Amino acid sequence: MELEKENDIKNVEQSDKLNTLNATTSDEDWQLNDNDSPPLVVQPNPLLPKPEVPKGMINPPISSSKSAKITSRIPSFKKFILDKSQSLSSAITNRFSNEADFGKITEIRLSDVKVIVNFDRNEERFRGRVSFYSRSNCRDCTAVRRFLRDRKLNYVEINVDVFPLREKELIRRTGTSIVPQVFFNEKLIGGLVVLNSLRNGGMLEKKMEEILSAKCPESAPKSAVYGVDDEEDGVDEMVAIVRVLRQKLPIQDRLTRMKLAKNCFSGADLVEHLDCARKKAVTIGKELARRHFIHHVFHENEFEDGNHFYRFLEHEPFIPKCYNFRGSVNDVEPKDASILSQTLSKLMTAILESYASDDRHHVNYVGISNSEEFRRYLSLVQCFQRVDLSTLSVNEKLAFFLNLYNAMIIHAVIRIGHPGDSMDRRRTFFSDFLYIIGGYPYSLSTVKNGILRGNRRAPFSLMKPLSSGDKRLELAFPKVNLLIHFALCHASKSSPAVKFFTHQNVESDLRHVAREYFQREDALQVDLAKRTVYLTRIIKWYSMDFGRDNDILKWLINYVDSTKAGLLTHLLGDGGSINIVYQNFDWSLNS
């Protein structure tokens, strides 16, 4: 008991110190600047246990003496807000505790304040659960999801693209792999057609009352949880050799070509520590390099015997900045790059369908960070560490790097926060958030400017992202596809909507996202009277790609609606001068 009292005294003292510090802050310090974005708060995963208030307690009591001590140190404006909030909370609590039937409470009136309380009637009516099986990029699944959201029904979605092992369960329960398939508790209702038929026939409410009024049984489809529905991957055949070499090889810092190469070993060391003939040892060394377990310190050759220095992938100097690396190299057998690309598209599309607005202009980053789908994404990107991207076709490579950029943006916002309007923070955000892919580091700038733009300088930069001889140049596109600029999201309000692509439709989808973007007022406006065209600042930043003003306007005609196309054609056709004004870019978070 004495120990508990001492802890209580310490807690009170710490609270008093904190409030004293707050009291010395001016009123202006409590306000966000116009350019400041509210901090992104990542909540605990909803599947984890949550702390509960002890029975019989609503809020812990605050002694009057302590309350007086705290409020005396707060400025008058804050004191007024605190007093109002305390009286409001007390009134609501007393009103609720004195009211036998909460369903009757719809409005509470206090002096100068009116509080309207809306209760979710579905929680009172339905104790059961709606579940449905879906796939990514499925129109009928989207319609079912929207229907359930509009009805404010709690539901569990099982996307068989995200959780492939659940497809067997879908077939077992329904006799087909066609989606969507909707369940009320454990009862199969059917697909979108059945759902619409029930609604149009006036039977849906009765069906819901009949089934969902009962508590959901164990036999109903279950939501995905940690460690369940994970596919087992085979271990790379070279892992046993690598694990022995990691223990045996003399790893040291060595001076070579007037440079210090850290954590490396020589080719002769590796050959010596392999218990086999020299020729076979060299073959093994080449295979280890091809699979990106080891690299030459200057990335000059695959593997040679002698006084050439190499290091393990986990010892590369860029590894600490790679956010898809968790302490050790992924020892799983590298998957086919095409399969990984398709999985990335399906997984991220599923995430957007659950945690973004229908138009994809607003993203719920906190919801994504807490989701099982995002945990699977983090596992997926670890498979990128040693993947061979050279096997991708042109369209597969285009879709992969577009999707990679947009996925990395979401991960970066969740992991390190959005840079906002600060130029320095944006530069760090786009250059220092790295993934290791195919044995090499890729930042957001590397993906966009090094690969998709064919190694062109980023805005306000004097140097190209990739130097001559860089192995990543082999993946760079020889020509810039201008439409990529309207397919890459920067997690800001003025940037294009976030989208993920498939290699089958990437060309047509790029044209679609460009047309969609230029329908926005902050992307393109035409004032015929003033002979002025207002354009997105993206085009100014990447003027190297778009060319001269007249070329830009001629190009735009192909991607705007008929009204804007007619106005642009008229301005270009009469031979007069045209003013181009680039609009301000809103860097605030698109949440």
Side-chain angles (χ1 to χ4, degrees), residues 322-362:
C322 292
Y323 285 83
N324 67 330
F325 186 88
R326 294 183 178 178
S328 63
V329 173
N330 182 18
D331 289 337
V332 172
E333 178 75 22
K335 294 182 180 179
D336 181 77
S338 179
I339 293 175
L340 287 179
S341 178
Q342 293 174 44
T343 305
L344 174 64
S345 174
K346 291 176 180 178
L347 181 54
M348 294 310 297
T349 298
I351 286 176
L352 288 188
E353 288 172 344
S354 296
Y355 300 100
S357 60
D358 290 342
D359 61 6
R360 304 294 190 259
H361 289 164
H362 304 283

Side-chain angles (χ1 to χ4, degrees), residues 191-204:
L192 180 63
V193 173
V194 177
L195 206 61
N196 283 331
S197 297
L198 288 172
R199 182 182 59 181
N200 296 336
M203 297 295 294
L204 182 60

Side-chain angles (χ1 to χ4, degrees), residues 111-127:
S111 59
D112 301 325
V113 179
K114 181 173 79 170
V115 180
I116 298 176
V117 182
N118 293 320
F119 291 90
D120 189 349
R121 299 295 181 183
N122 287 326
E123 291 186 4
E124 298 174 8
R125 293 169 55 201
F126 304 135
R127 299 172 61 203

Side-chain angles (χ1 to χ4, degrees), residues 131-168:
S131 311
F132 83 100
Y133 292 86
S134 67
R135 293 186 189 274
S136 301
N137 280 320
C138 170
R139 262 190 320 186
D140 285 358
C141 296
T142 300
V144 169
R145 190 182 302 110
R146 186 177 293 120
F147 172 81
L148 296 175
R149 286 175 178 173
D150 291 344
R151 299 290 298 245
K152 297 183 178 178
L153 291 170
N154 292 326
Y155 67 91
V156 168
E157 181 176 352
I158 306 161
N159 188 314
V160 295
D161 287 334
V162 178
F163 312 109
L165 297 185
R166 301 296 289 270
E167 187 168 4
K168 294 180 181 178

Side-chain angles (χ1 to χ4, degrees), residues 361 494 515-527 533-537 561 563-564 581-584:
H361 289 164
S494 286
R515 292 189 183 101
E516 189 178 64
Y517 183 66
F518 285 113
Q519 289 177 1
R520 294 166 46 171
E521 292 297 314
D522 61 347
L524 173 64
Q525 296 181 54
V526 182
D527 189 329
V533 178
Y534 300 89
L535 284 179
T536 171
R537 197 165 286 267
D561 59 39
T563 301
K564 290 180 178 177
V581 175
Y582 293 100
Q583 304 184 81
N584 290 332

Side-chain angles (χ1 to χ4, degrees), residues 238 270 283-296 301-304 310 438-440:
M238 304 298 291
L270 187 144
T283 302
I284 291 174
K286 289 182 180 293
E287 185 64 15
L288 292 177
R290 188 184 71 80
R291 291 174 179 256
H292 299 296
F293 281 114
I294 63 173
H295 281 163
H296 187 275
N301 60 49
E302 289 185 352
F303 180 80
E304 293 181 19
Y310 304 86
Y440 297 96

Side-chain angles (χ1 to χ4, degrees), residues 222-388:
K222 294 178 174 58
S223 59
V225 295
Y226 286 117
V228 181
D229 306 322
D230 284 325
E231 292 185 279
E232 294 184 3
D233 297 309
V235 176
D236 194 300
E237 61 182 1
M238 304 298 291
V239 164
I241 296 174
V242 170
R243 289 174 179 170
V244 172
L245 292 175
R246 284 170 177 160
Q247 299 297 322
K248 286 186 174 182
L249 285 175
I251 298 174
Q252 304 171 9
D253 296 347
R254 305 171 192 248
L255 189 65
T256 176
R257 301 182 191 176
M258 303 300 292
K259 294 181 180 180
L260 183 66
K262 293 189 174 182
N263 301 318
C264 60
F265 55 88
S266 69
D269 289 335
L270 187 144
V271 170
E272 179 184 345
H273 285 83
L274 286 172
D275 296 329
C276 59
R278 178 184 176 279
K279 185 175 181 180
K280 184 176 181 180
V282 172
T283 302
I284 291 174
K286 289 182 180 293
E287 185 64 15
L288 292 177
R290 188 184 71 80
R291 291 174 179 256
H292 299 296
F293 281 114
I294 63 173
H295 281 163
H296 187 275
V297 292
F298 300 127
H299 300 281
E300 289 182 354
N301 60 49
E302 289 185 352
F303 180 80
E304 293 181 19
D305 191 4
N307 199 29
H308 301 276
F309 294 116
Y310 304 86
R311 60 166 66 98
F312 286 107
L313 182 60
E314 58 265 35
H315 293 153
E316 291 280 12
F318 54 75
I319 282 294
K321 290 185 177 181
C322 292
Y323 285 83
N324 67 330
F325 186 88
R326 294 183 178 178
S328 63
V329 173
N330 182 18
D331 289 337
V332 172
E333 178 75 22
K335 294 182 180 179
D336 181 77
S338 179
I339 293 175
L340 287 179
S341 178
Q342 293 174 44
T343 305
L344 174 64
S345 174
K346 291 176 180 178
L347 181 54
M348 294 310 297
T349 298
I351 286 176
L352 288 188
E353 288 172 344
S354 296
Y355 300 100
S357 60
D358 290 342
D359 61 6
R360 304 294 190 259
H361 289 164
H362 304 283
V363 180
N364 179 2
Y365 293 97
V366 175
I368 293 173
S369 70
N370 290 328
S371 68
E372 172 66 7
E373 292 90 339
F374 186 65
R375 185 187 76 85
R376 287 174 179 270
Y377 168 76
L378 296 179
S379 297
L380 174 68
V381 294
Q382 289 186 80
C383 299
F384 293 171
Q385 293 175 10
R386 299 188 298 110
V387 67
D388 183 6

Side-chain angles (χ1 to χ4, degrees), residues 157-216:
E157 181 176 352
I158 306 161
N159 188 314
V160 295
D161 287 334
V162 178
F163 312 109
L165 297 185
R166 301 296 289 270
E167 187 168 4
K168 294 180 181 178
E169 177 188 303
L170 166 65
I171 296 172
R172 176 174 56 82
R173 286 181 178 273
T174 66
T176 180
S177 61
I178 297 173
V179 293
Q181 295 291 338
V182 181
F183 285 76
F184 290 172
N185 284 349
E186 81 285 10
K187 305 290 186 183
L188 172 63
I189 300 302
L192 180 63
V193 173
V194 177
L195 206 61
N196 283 331
S197 297
L198 288 172
R199 182 182 59 181
N200 296 336
M203 297 295 294
L204 182 60
E205 288 293 330
K206 182 179 179 181
K207 201 78 172 175
M208 292 168 64
E209 292 281 359
E210 177 186 331
I211 301 174
L212 295 178
S213 57
K215 187 177 179 181
C216 186

